[in-house]
């Protein structure tokens, strides 16, 4: 089996996590990560033995590494020349420029949710459309919110055959390491109605009819979704059977809030730190068991999303789809998650 050579373009919040997740697998390897210049993130790449390249091919930019403790192996072009696939983890909206570079280099590419679906014409979520992406040249792993919605809605849709959903996304204002964004003392509604989050689910599962509203609140640790789903007549489900379905769903954690005294996103994140997840990450979507209620055909529930990490294992499954390594999404998910657990010894 040939080991897939993976480049990480942009070694920030998402890039550093994807690099670790690739490093954990036995069917792929990190051949290099990019930085815009020498900074504290380079130190972590050095400790991991990842080669550092510049995000730019401009010799002057590459030379900024010269008087630093970090060796730069070259520009992005040189990294792409030794790669099979690049995971684009640059800040959103750089996709157009970068996609051209990847196509010129003949390298497959995976973008993140900060880019629009129209960039690649294809999006990815492990549970929704793995095979649609099989062998594709380029795609986009949907955002953390869309990934979260897909994890719980796709199995429901698959049971019911149709689904109409309204949800409100209560979004964290900024990531914990981000000092530039807000609000810090306000609630900011997204005035573009409906917000893009719900409809984005339809890029991976067009059959689910979904709309969303979104507000940003002064917290950094998680997003919270308040979801109302209308199931078709004859769905045959109960509150208990929906809970059982999600307990069987990969990358979903269902816990009783009152019984476990885990009634807020702060406690969910504390649990992630307690169980030894690096950076306190939680790849799974967290559903409060006691917040699920099916009344007639209408299902109500809350879920929490760790925005910095739920998309990380999806990137690994996506590489397997693009590189035609594994046809069965559930096999890929199992392989990805077991390798990550072994890597962090959890
Ligand atoms: N953070 C989240 O919660 C989250 C969740 C899901 C999806 N996403 C998406 O993931 C993508 C990355 O977001 P992020 O949160 O990881 O951003 P981030 O923390 O700001 O990291 C972006 C990285 O890109 C690098 N960069 C800057 N200019 C670049 C260029 N021209 N080419 C390549 N890399 C460049 C930066 O490098 P330097 O550090 O060297 O300057 C930085 O490390 C975005 O599309 C975002 O929407 C983010």
């Amino acid at each position: 089996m040939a080991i897939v050579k993976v480049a990480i373009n942009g070694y920030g919040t998402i890039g550093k996590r994807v690099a670790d997740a690739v490093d954990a697998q036995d069917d792929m390897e990190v051949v290099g990560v990019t930085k815009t210049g020498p900074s504290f993130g380079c130190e972590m790449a050095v400790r991991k033995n990842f080669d550092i390249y510049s995000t730019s091919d401009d010799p002057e930019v590459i030379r900024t590494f010269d008087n630093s403790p970090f060796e730069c192996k070259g520009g992005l072009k040189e990294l792409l020349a030794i790669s099979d696939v690049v995971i684009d983890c640059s800040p959103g909206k750089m996709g157009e420029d970068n996609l051209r570079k990847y196509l010129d280099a003949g390298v497959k590419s995976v973008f993140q949710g900060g880019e629009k679906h129209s960039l690649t014409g294809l999006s990815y979520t492990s549970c929704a459309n793995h095979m649609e992406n099989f062998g594709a040249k380029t795609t986009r792993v949907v955002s953390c919110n869309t990934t979260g919605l897909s994890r719980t809605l796709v199995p429901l849709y698959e049971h019911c055959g149709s689904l109409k959903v309204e949800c409100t996304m209560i979004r964290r204002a900024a990531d914990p390491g981000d000092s530039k964004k807000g609000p810090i003392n306000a609630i900011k509604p997204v005035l573009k109605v409906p917000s893009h989050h719900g409809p984005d689910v339809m890029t991976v599962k067009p059959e689910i009819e979904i709309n969303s509203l979104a507000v940003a609140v002064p917290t950094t640790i998680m997003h919270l979704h308040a979801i109302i789903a209308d199931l078709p007549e004859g769905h045959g489900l109960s509150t208990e059977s929906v809970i059982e379905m999600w307990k069987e769903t990969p990358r979903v954690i269902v816990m009783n809030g009152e019984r476990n005294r885990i009634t807020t996103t702060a406690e969910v994140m504390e649990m992630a730190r307690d169980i030894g997840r690096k950076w306190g990450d939680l790849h799974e979507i967290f559903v409060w068991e006691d917040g699920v209620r099916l009344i007639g055909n209408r299902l109500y529930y809350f879920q929490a999303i760790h925005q910095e990490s739920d998309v990380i294992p999806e990137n690994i499954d996506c590489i397997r789809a693009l590189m035609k390594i594994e046809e069965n999404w559930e096999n890929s998910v199992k392989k990805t998650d077991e390798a990550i657990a072994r890597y962090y010894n959890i």
Side-chain angles (χ1 to χ4, degrees), residues 314-330:
E314 306 277 325
N315 274 273
I316 304 302
D317 303 328
C318 185
I319 292 171
R320 292 205 182 97
L322 261 51
M323 300 308 296
K324 295 184 163 181
I325 296 175
E326 175 58 68
E327 293 188 7
N328 181 308
W329 72 269
E330 282 171 306

Side-chain angles (χ1 to χ4, degrees), residues 137-310:
K137 242 186 153 26
T138 182
T139 191
R140 171 190 77 131
V141 168
V142 293
S143 74
C144 49
N145 279 307
T146 307
T147 297
L149 289 169
S150 303
R151 291 250 182 97
T152 48
L153 291 175
V154 169
L156 256 188
Y157 167 79
E158 273 165 8
H159 176 90
C160 295
S162 73
L163 210 53
K164 282 190 182 165
V165 182
E166 299 289 341
C167 52
T168 303
M169 335 292 295
I170 300 153
R171 296 172 50 221
R172 61 92 178 91
D175 286 339
D178 193 339
S179 56
K180 296 191 191 79
K181 291 186 190 155
I184 57 169
N185 185 24
I187 296 172
K188 187 177 178 200
V190 173
L191 298 175
K192 186 182 167 295
V193 175
S195 75
H196 71 273
H197 309 90
D200 206 28
V201 172
M202 294 193 272
T203 65
V204 291
K205 203 64 171 168
E207 300 89 343
I208 297 177
E209 291 179 54
I210 175 165
N211 273 311
S212 59
L213 293 173
V215 295
V217 297
T219 179
T220 61
I221 51 179
M222 292 190 102
H223 300 302
L224 186 131
H225 297 168
I227 301 173
I228 299 176
D230 285 326
L231 317 186
E233 287 297 335
H235 52 73
L237 290 168
S238 61
T239 301
E240 292 70 29
S241 64
V242 170
I243 290 169
E244 278 317 303
M245 176 189 295
W246 286 332
K247 283 187 176 167
E248 298 297 314
T249 301
R251 297 180 186 155
V252 174
I253 292 180
V254 184
M255 280 178 84
N256 188 294
E258 286 303 331
R259 213 181 304 132
N260 293 290
R261 299 193 197 164
I262 190 160
T263 55
T264 69
T265 54
E267 286 145 347
V268 175
M269 283 286 88
E270 188 66 6
M271 178 195 71
R273 287 190 286 268
D274 284 351
I275 59 179
R277 299 292 174 87
K278 187 165 177 195
W279 294 292
D281 283 355
L282 192 66
H283 293 170
E284 297 88 343
I285 305 310
F286 186 96
V287 177
W288 280 275
E289 183 176 343
D290 33 352
V292 181
R293 185 92 196 272
L294 181 61
I295 303 175
N297 294 337
R298 182 162 278 188
L299 176 70
Y300 300 85
Y301 67 103
F302 295 104
Q303 62 180 19
I305 313 294
H306 185 228
Q307 76 277 354
E308 295 171 287
S309 72
D310 69 335

Side-chain angles (χ1 to χ4, degrees), residues 9 11-14 35-36 55 90-91 94 112 114 172 175 307:
N9 191 21
Y11 192 61
T13 307
I14 298 297
K35 290 297 283 177
T36 55
T55 51
S90 63
M94 291 189 162
Q112 307 301 315
R172 61 92 178 91
D175 286 339
Q307 76 277 354

Side-chain angles (χ1 to χ4, degrees), residues 117-148:
H117 175 76
S118 54
L119 176 72
T120 53
L122 192 62
S123 292
Y124 180 88
T125 301
S126 309
C127 68
N129 66 342
H130 183 79
M131 279 310 283
E132 225 177 272
N133 284 266
F134 208 65
K137 242 186 153 26
T138 182
T139 191
R140 171 190 77 131
V141 168
V142 293
S143 74
C144 49
N145 279 307
T146 307
T147 297

